[in-house]
Amino acid sequence: MTNNHSDDNRAGGATAAPASPRRRSWLRPRLDWLLVFVPVAILLRFVPALENPTALFVVSCVAIIPLAGWMGRATEHLAEHLGQGVGGLLNATFGNAAELIIALFALSKGLTGVVKASITGSIIGNILLVLGLSLLAGGVKFQKQVFNRTAAGVSATALTLGAIALIIPTVFHQAADALGGWTPQKEQGLSLAIAIVLFLTYGLTLLFTLVTHRELFGADESKPVAREAGEELSRMEAEAGGHGHWSLKKAGVVLLISTAFVALISEFLVGAIESARGALGLTEVFVGVIVVAIVGNAAEHSSAILMAVRNKMDISIGIAVGSSLQIALFVAPLLVFASYLFGSPMDLEFTVPEVVAVVASILIVEQISSDGESNWAEGLQLLSVYAVLAVLFYFLPDAHGAGHAAPAPNH
Amino acid sequence: MTNNHSDDNRAGGATAAPASPRRRSWLRPRLDWLLVFVPVAILLRFVPALENPTALFVVSCVAIIPLAGWMGRATEHLAEHLGQGVGGLLNATFGNAAELIIALFALSKGLTGVVKASITGSIIGNILLVLGLSLLAGGVKFQKQVFNRTAAGVSATALTLGAIALIIPTVFHQAADALGGWTPQKEQGLSLAIAIVLFLTYGLTLLFTLVTHRELFGADESKPVAREAGEELSRMEAEAGGHGHWSLKKAGVVLLISTAFVALISEFLVGAIESARGALGLTEVFVGVIVVAIVGNAAEHSSAILMAVRNKMDISIGIAVGSSLQIALFVAPLLVFASYLFGSPMDLEFTVPEVVAVVASILIVEQISSDGESNWAEGLQLLSVYAVLAVLFYFLPDAHGAGHAAPAPNH
Amino acid sequence: MTNNHSDDNRAGGATAAPASPRRRSWLRPRLDWLLVFVPVAILLRFVPALENPTALFVVSCVAIIPLAGWMGRATEHLAEHLGQGVGGLLNATFGNAAELIIALFALSKGLTGVVKASITGSIIGNILLVLGLSLLAGGVKFQKQVFNRTAAGVSATALTLGAIALIIPTVFHQAADALGGWTPQKEQGLSLAIAIVLFLTYGLTLLFTLVTHRELFGADESKPVAREAGEELSRMEAEAGGHGHWSLKKAGVVLLISTAFVALISEFLVGAIESARGALGLTEVFVGVIVVAIVGNAAEHSSAILMAVRNKMDISIGIAVGSSLQIALFVAPLLVFASYLFGSPMDLEFTVPEVVAVVASILIVEQISSDGESNWAEGLQLLSVYAVLAVLFYFLPDAHGAGHAAPAPNH
């Protein structure tokens, strides 16, 4: 665990001496073989003799993982062609496309409880599980790893803003209820207003990270993280025998195809949730917070861990925290807006355990990111918090009316 | 927005090359023309034919803004004459005199709900709205602004202490109620004890900032912030064609007159609150948290923003955070003590939304202040939190018994 | 208060010129004369004519203080003989032995309310009272004191993890109850799972502090804090005319004897709690949170303050924060496991005021420790928070069923 006491822990410093492709290839996210589950899922869904919702649910979960990886890679390659501004915007906006597609399908079926739970799960999953595994994996290899405090700080503060916004509807429900003045219309109006504030803030934060302060988000002064991340991934693919650079056409086609398959499999997954969770004995909130969130973020998991093992902590933290940020400030408001199109408006009232989980996660990640250094014990602490929260959601009983947030305690 | 990429972002460094007075004068807080609303308010109040509580409320709100500015300026000039120790004490103690006067009038009419809401509103208004606008205005001009982390840290910690103290009576109410042992006497005893602890802590913190560690609070090593702030404002007034230095007599007379007018108009304002908010469709808590707090702190707003635009971030943050601090640790306890004189003791039990607002504000301001650097995105984030909280208080229904804090949820 | 403006405030720097033993001896923890209360307690307990539970309670409280001091000293001397790894483990594991023994006796009598309250009290007592007095005492002597931010940060983050874990069972109770699915079995299962996560995390954190990153926890590069603390205490004892070094045998014998006496007196103390607190008019929760916690941590108090006065801030903070950490991550889980042996399983559900107290304490201590500097105002702020919380627990009525945690509000 501590056999590598080298001082190769400078941020953005040159990584260790070039190793042979063979030695390194195990580092690459070898998820492509999971693509075999895509045809399996299609068979399970369309061959009547094979009908089995639980199997379909599990297979769909697994099949989405490599598809989301391909979507992410295609987005990055496309972004390279479109130049820094538009490319960065594309990356930032489509980074959580898989989660968004799954959530939209769930929304169209009225599973707002699952949708909200998966928002919670994506936020805590990225900053506790993804970042925790990254710091642990990187910290086992390097005694100490450093990163840019300012960039991490801006993201952490934006996350705090997201957390505050997401607890307000719950606070409103409980307080208004106690005063005898709660109505669903007010809850909806409040949620919509908050969604608009978050959406505008996200847009202006993109202006900050992509335009006015983009140099902050580069590990060295001249290169933004997003671009460096793309180059690093290309280099790794080239080393592993793949193609380092994609043409504009290839990137576009791969993005289209992978998105279509993600949409198809998401539809299977969401359609099977209700039957499957009954069979597996899991509650709706556990499925949303833990299962769907891990599936939707699998691509981030492998990329962030890889970057940490290569001591590119700014990229690793950027992926994990940035993804949480995007869920809170972009995906959550977008889902509220979309819910109006589906005719069943969704509010942003989360259950108290969800609120506590988000606030707790953000508090601990801020502490860990505030000093610009990381080590394996910090990774372990994030994972421990994740374990504690997973235990909570495992034991938590389901709401009576599935598809609805738990009522406020004094209801 | 980013056309000024100059590196003129050193804390306390010389500001840009001297500009002509004309060019700069727009920067000056041009609030004096608002003084015309003072006679208007007096007419509305005393001419029976013009009786209109809503108009009186609005006009009084506007009229207090320039008066509070004159009170603040007179206090600063007086402080210069009285030497650093006594002057600093005067500044620190009378900095929130306008809020205090308004609150005392509200207290005398038994409007404890408005008083508590205005305490909440002053705390969150200063650290979210004032500081947010300052960081945004300064950050648009300068790529990065820096400030003294240690000084900001001491203030932020004191604010945390204030927040903890202010949530305890609410926690007590809910817990004691559940145990079947809540009584108004206990709530009152608890609030009084907490007020005493806060008051003593404030006194000792003044000893720290004005005596034992005063050099910490100076942007350069030898000058305390308060004094530099005074000099800076004098210089700006002189540049704008005003009088740079006031005699002791002038300062005293201006302070007396402006205080008398603030008191008079505050009495109008408070007297018209009940009728006006009915006519405007605003709840008591919204009026207290948002309207009264903005009016009472208008002078801080303009000064803090001005300082930020001049890249004097230590002064800007000192004004905003220091003002919140003073409300929590000095004004709130003082109002509890004063309530005994009015014969209707006020406790410190805030509603749950107020508690959440204060805690959320302090968490995010601490994060932002912890790295000693600021930029426009941080200002934006503070303003977003303010917008979210304003939305909450807008939608929140009023308590049944106006003049009382909302009962605890399980009541 | 500020008469010492010398710059002798480097972390781990040589302390001031050697003073004569006489001048320094007042600094030594002169608690040994309190040992006279040990025979007094024994008389009160076993001589029927002297039976007086209140007197027995008070005398036992006082008698435990010097005994816990001897236990601590013997553990340190033993640790020196056992080498760094095992010695560090011993120190870390037995550091809170006195609290553990008292809690085990209380557990065996079914006083789970007192046990949980003393867990809360030990956590907040160490980081507010012990650390507050240390920063105040050190800060009065030195203008500014510095410490290792990284080491303090790791401990603070581990504490946050502990706090999150300890609030989850309470959140679970309230949420599950609202959903109609709360059962004592689920609460117990959740608590046990959390206890296991905390225990494993503590074990791995020891691996971090004692093995992989032990150099972080030394004030100079080569010496771990624990060892330096031992040496420093030995030197101080030698200066005061005592024996600087203990043989292995002496350390072992002293440890055995002092532990036996701590156990005996703890049994008296716990046996007298119920009668005594009735007579003294104190609630169960106040006795647990304030009285038992101060008694059990008296040894830490004197050591941490001593180190602060000598400007050894890393050791001082290590003792205070490390002790809280150990309570949350080691003692609390151990008591859950032990409760199964006693046949009456204890869950980890704390009352809402206890949860608020722990969270508030941790928030403020993190803020104070995040900049690596301390001064007397920060010590004062910690003490103010402690005073506010003590006021809360003083006014809080007792639960109806003594020995049980307060029910959730909506129960």
Side-chain angles (χ1 to χ4, degrees), chain A residues 2 143 367 376 384 397 400, chain C residues 160 179 201 204 212-213 215 366:
Chain A
T2 57
Q143 176 81 349
Q367 257 185 280
W376 69 261
S384 296
H400 296 298
Chain C
T160 303
L179 295 166
T201 305
L204 290 168
T212 75
H213 288 64
E215 73 292 347
E366 276 163 12

Side-chain angles (χ1 to χ4, degrees), chain A residues 64-65 68 95-96 98-99 102 122 291-301:
Chain A
I64 280 184
I65 295 172
N96 282 299
E99 285 99 316
I102 299 175
S122 289
V291 182
V292 172
I294 289 181
V295 169
N297 291 297
E300 280 94 335
H301 287 235

Side-chain angles (χ1 to χ4, degrees), chain C residues 91-314:
Chain C
N91 242 328
T93 313
F94 280 81
N96 281 300
E99 285 99 318
L100 190 59
I101 292 170
I102 298 174
L104 286 172
F105 274 107
L107 207 54
S108 72
K109 306 219 168 186
L111 297 169
T112 54
V114 170
V115 172
K116 292 185 200 170
S118 74
I119 292 174
T120 305
S122 288
I123 295 175
I124 70 172
N126 277 302
I127 57 184
L128 297 179
L129 188 59
V130 175
L131 188 57
L133 285 172
S134 299
L135 298 191
L136 186 60
V140 166
K141 203 167 159 203
F142 301 96
Q143 176 81 350
K144 188 170 91 172
Q145 299 186 293
V146 298
F147 51 87
N148 184 327
R149 267 172 51 199
T150 307
V154 169
S155 302
T157 312
L159 256 181
T160 303
L161 159 64
I164 292 171
L166 295 183
I167 71 175
I168 293 302
T170 307
V171 170
F172 173 75
H173 189 145
Q174 301 217 10
D177 213 53
L179 295 166
W182 186 86
T183 64
Q185 287 73 33
K186 283 189 183 172
E187 187 79 48
Q188 199 54 48
L190 178 84
S191 296
L192 191 59
I194 288 176
I196 293 169
V197 171
L198 288 178
F199 201 76
L200 291 177
T201 305
Y202 185 70
L204 290 168
T205 304
L206 282 187
L207 186 67
F208 182 82
T209 54
L210 299 179
V211 182
T212 75
H213 288 64
R214 62 171 176 260
E215 73 292 347
L216 261 184
F217 295 85
D220 65 47
E221 296 297 294
S222 59
K223 259 195 268 180
V225 166
R227 195 168 149 202
E228 200 189 353
E231 285 171 11
E232 184 79 9
L233 286 169
S234 296
R235 192 160 58 237
M236 282 157 54
E237 276 177 22
E239 281 166 7
H243 304 289
H245 185 78
W246 290 11
S247 70
L248 178 64
K249 195 177 151 195
K250 180 180 173 186
V253 170
V254 171
L255 183 58
L256 267 182
I257 295 175
S258 56
T259 306
F261 272 105
V262 165
L264 182 75
I265 306 287
S266 293
E267 202 273 326
F268 297 174
L269 189 156
V270 170
I273 280 181
E274 288 304 298
S275 316
R277 67 180 194 74
L280 296 169
L282 298 175
T283 60
E284 189 186 39
V285 76
F286 187 83
V287 168
V289 173
I290 307 295
V291 181
V292 171
I294 289 182
V295 168
N297 291 297
E300 280 94 336
H301 286 236
S302 53
S303 304
I305 295 169
L306 250 159
M307 290 299 164
V309 171
R310 289 181 159 237
N311 209 15
K312 303 270 182 194
M313 293 313 290
D314 284 298

Side-chain angles (χ1 to χ4, degrees), chain B residues 82-99:
Chain B
L82 297 176
Q84 206 167 263
V86 182
L89 191 66
L90 190 79
N91 242 325
T93 313
F94 280 81
N96 282 299
E99 285 100 316

